[in-house]
Amino acid sequence: MSGTPDNPSTDAPSAVTRRTLLGRATVAGLLAVPSAGLLSACLGGGDDTQDQAEGTKSADNPLGVKEDAPLEVVIFNGGLGTKYATDVHIPSYKAKFPKAEVKFSQTEEIATQLQPRFSSNTPPDMVNNAGSKLMDMGALVQAGQASDLTDLFDAPSLDIAGQKVKDTLLPGAIEQGTFNGKPYVLNYAYTVYGLWYDGALFKSKGWAVPKTWAEFTALCDQIKAAGMTPFGYAGANAAYYQYLVILTSAAKIGGTDVLKNIDNLEAGAWTNDAVKKAAEAWAGIGAKYSDKAFLGQKHTEVQLQQNQGKVAFYPSGSWLENEQAKDTPSTFQYAVMPLPSVTGSDKLPSTAIFAAAGEMYFAASKGKNPRGAQEYLRHMLSKEGAKKFTELTKVMTVVKGATDGLTISPGFTSGAALATAAGANAFSYRWADWYKKLDDECRSATNELMFSGGTADKFCERMQKAADAVKNDSSIQKFKR
């Protein structure tokens, strides 16, 4: 399933099959890290670095890019496509550095394609680390393979006069890619998560969007009586946004410190009462309102059933509409709702949502042109570059004001309204980015809970045991927020 062309060029297809914005899957050599020494062997390390291009810093060239140095860019080919790179960001870079050759390639299997190159300290310059087979970002940082992006964020914006790049970004954007105080990753796409449904269908049926758990289960009963499966997700390639419903509900029940404690590997964080209540509530949805056949199906198979009117609610991020564009009937109108309040005493309002900067991009510290890679990211963070990205992908970015005035599609409009309604009650977590093994365990534990008769107690105990194992593994670098 590799999308990498034999002869990389900028002629990339715009229609693709998959976007998993922060997705994770098992990749040999990047997951189980038995020792710090082996980590360096798997991901490279040490001082063996390629000769690196260096230009002269100036007001017009704040990052000191060598104007004729080649730049190699690798983009994950998924639901966002690659057209934003080939048609927007690469041309923008080339307009500023016309003497530079930009070598572009795409792949659906980032780790498969790039792990050998990072192991030999010959990586490409700029990498979009995404998809079900991405590289362990925490391990890359630990191995010294990612560039510190402080200079990028301190540089002037490409097209917003008088502002540094960091001043043009939404709150939390830089923090989302920060590891122990230093920024190594640009999380570019601002994604809102919730329960997606067909707004046109709901309108025709007279189904009101539920705000409470009682309203939600009552509606699920109506949907089930109408011959539809109320709730579905794919178990075959379980992704983070499928266990995200549990943790979103937990945060709404107990407050955002529930997620902060999980991030920081605090004792008993996973067995907190809020997590148990959330797991119990969603286990009930899986048992009564889903279909066990989904356990063996891929995301596109379940999503297609939603487009066909067979599934009502599907948990996902705001890339979903673009991902399903070729299979969505003209009568289907994507809309998204926040997860309903589980209890009558939830600490966060029903409008609270999980929303975060995602879709990781980084400059390889051992590439031939790390300065050019950071400059490329500066072009991505221009207002024009962000606006055109959104026009092509129907996904917002972390650049403030870049979507002002854009009316793109029903799903985009619904997602933007969701973010506006949430306001300051938007939250996220970091542990899944930091600890790959823990992320893998949570996918499996969620499948057990939702499809295989698992219990909330077993889910929480299983995850606490996995978190404690990570905490006690001295070979794994720990991160805190």
Side-chain angles (χ1 to χ4, degrees):
M1 285 187 53
S2 174
T4 306
D6 293 333
N7 183 22
S9 72
T10 56
D11 296 324
S14 59
V16 285
T17 60
R18 182 60 185 150
R19 169 82 301 155
T20 306
L21 289 182
L22 298 169
R24 296 287 192 271
T26 300
V27 181
L30 290 178
L31 306 184
V33 186
S35 70
L38 185 54
L39 172 70
S40 295
C42 291
L43 295 179
D47 298 323
D48 186 14
T49 303
Q50 304 175 90
D51 291 336
Q52 295 184 326
E54 184 174 344
T56 302
K57 291 185 178 181
S58 66
D60 191 51
N61 185 11
L63 296 173
V65 178
K66 191 172 186 293
E67 64 177 12
D68 61 350
L71 179 73
E72 185 177 2
V73 172
V74 179
I75 301 291
F76 170 68
N77 182 5
L80 295 180
T82 59
K83 199 172 181 64
Y84 68 88
T86 60
D87 291 14
V88 179
H89 301 144
I90 290 175
S92 178
Y93 185 92
K94 285 281 293 179
K96 190 167 183 63
F97 300 99
K99 296 180 181 179
E101 175 194 0
V102 179
K103 181 181 180 182
F104 166 78
S105 61
Q106 57 181 325
T107 179
E108 293 176 12
E109 298 186 356
I110 289 291
T112 303
Q113 296 294 320
L114 297 186
Q115 181 188 341
R117 296 185 59 184
F118 277 92
S119 297
S120 62
N121 287 329
T122 58
D125 301 305
M126 202 294 298
V127 177
N128 170 206
N129 188 29
S132 62
K133 292 189 176 180
L134 51 60
M135 295 178 289
D136 185 330
M137 201 66 235
L140 285 166
V141 171
Q142 186 176 350
Q145 291 284 359
S147 296
D148 183 340
L149 300 181
T150 298
D151 288 347
L152 163 67
F153 294 126
D154 283 338
S157 166
L158 190 70
D159 61 359
I160 303 176
Q163 294 194 43
K164 294 181 178 181
V165 170
K166 64 184 178 184
D167 299 326
T168 69
L169 307 182
L170 293 170
I174 294 176
E175 287 75 10
Q176 198 70 22
T178 295
F179 293 74
N180 286 345
K182 290 186 178 181
Y184 291 99
V185 179
L186 167 62
N187 286 278
Y188 185 60
Y190 188 76
T191 306
V192 297
Y193 298 83
L195 296 181
W196 292 82
Y197 61 96
D198 180 358
L201 173 67
F202 272 50
K203 184 177 180 179
S204 69
K205 296 287 189 181
W207 292 339
V209 173
K211 294 182 179 180
T212 68
W213 203 257
E215 291 172 351
F216 181 48
T217 55
L219 178 56
C220 285
D221 285 331
Q222 292 182 53
I223 292 169
K224 191 173 182 180
M228 293 179 68
T229 300
F231 177 86
Y233 82 81
N237 54 348
Y240 67 93
Y241 54 88
Q242 290 154 356
Y243 61 65
L244 185 144
V245 294
I246 299 170
L247 295 184
T248 297
S249 290
K252 294 177 81 164
I253 293 168
T256 56
D257 278 352
V258 170
L259 301 186
K260 184 177 180 180
N261 290 338
I262 288 175
D263 282 347
N264 292 340
L265 302 175
E266 298 288 351
W270 283 95
T271 54
N272 180 283
D273 189 56
V275 181
K276 286 187 178 181
K277 286 180 178 178
E280 184 177 11
W282 283 104
I285 298 298
K288 188 174 180 181
Y289 299 116
S290 194
D291 187 337
K292 293 187 185 301
F294 294 152
L295 177 61
Q297 295 181 10
K298 295 181 179 180
H299 61 285
T300 48
E301 294 173 318
V302 181
Q303 290 166 190
L304 178 60
Q305 291 178 62
Q306 185 182 41
N307 295 144
Q308 295 170 339
K310 299 175 182 177
V311 174
F313 290 113
Y314 184 83
S316 190
S318 46
W319 67 81
L320 178 64
E321 183 180 40
N322 189 60
E323 182 173 66
Q324 289 300 109
K326 66 181 178 62
D327 293 317
T328 305
S330 59
T331 55
F332 191 105
Q333 294 186 353
Y334 271 108
V336 60
M337 58 166 275
L339 272 60
S341 301
V342 175
T343 76
S345 58
D346 284 6
K347 289 190 177 181
L348 296 182
S350 62
T351 53
I353 60 170
F354 185 99
E359 194 69 11
M360 297 185 290
Y361 299 79
F362 72 98
S365 61
K366 301 180 186 300
K368 291 183 178 180
N369 192 3
R371 292 171 182 253
Q374 291 199 46
E375 175 69 18
Y376 183 90
L377 298 178
R378 192 166 77 107
H379 286 251
M380 291 179 63
L381 292 171
S382 68
K383 193 169 185 178
E384 185 68 9
K387 178 182 178 182
K388 290 183 176 179
F389 172 91
T390 296
E391 289 175 337
L392 287 170
T393 65
K394 303 176 184 175
V395 172
M396 295 181 287
T397 72
V398 295
V399 180
K400 291 187 290 189
T403 60
D404 290 352
L406 290 181
T407 304
I408 294 175
S409 65
F412 177 85
T413 300
S414 181
L418 195 74
T420 299
N425 291 307
F427 52 84
S428 62
Y429 51 67
R430 299 296 310 282
W431 63 271
D433 291 337
W434 292 342
Y435 308 117
K436 180 77 174 61
K437 293 165 71 174
L438 199 54
D439 174 63
D440 290 337
E441 184 72 4
C442 199
R443 296 177 189 223
S444 178
T446 301
N447 273 352
E448 181 181 44
L449 179 74
M450 299 294 288
F451 293 123
S452 304
T455 67
D457 282 341
K458 186 174 182 180
F459 172 86
C460 292
E461 290 166 5
R462 178 177 175 178
M463 290 309 304
Q464 189 61 55
K465 181 179 179 181
D468 289 342
V470 170
K471 182 178 182 177
N472 295 326
D473 188 338
S474 61
S475 72
I476 300 175
Q477 184 175 3
K478 308 307 187 297
F479 304 101
K480 293 186 77 69
R481 72 175 177 100

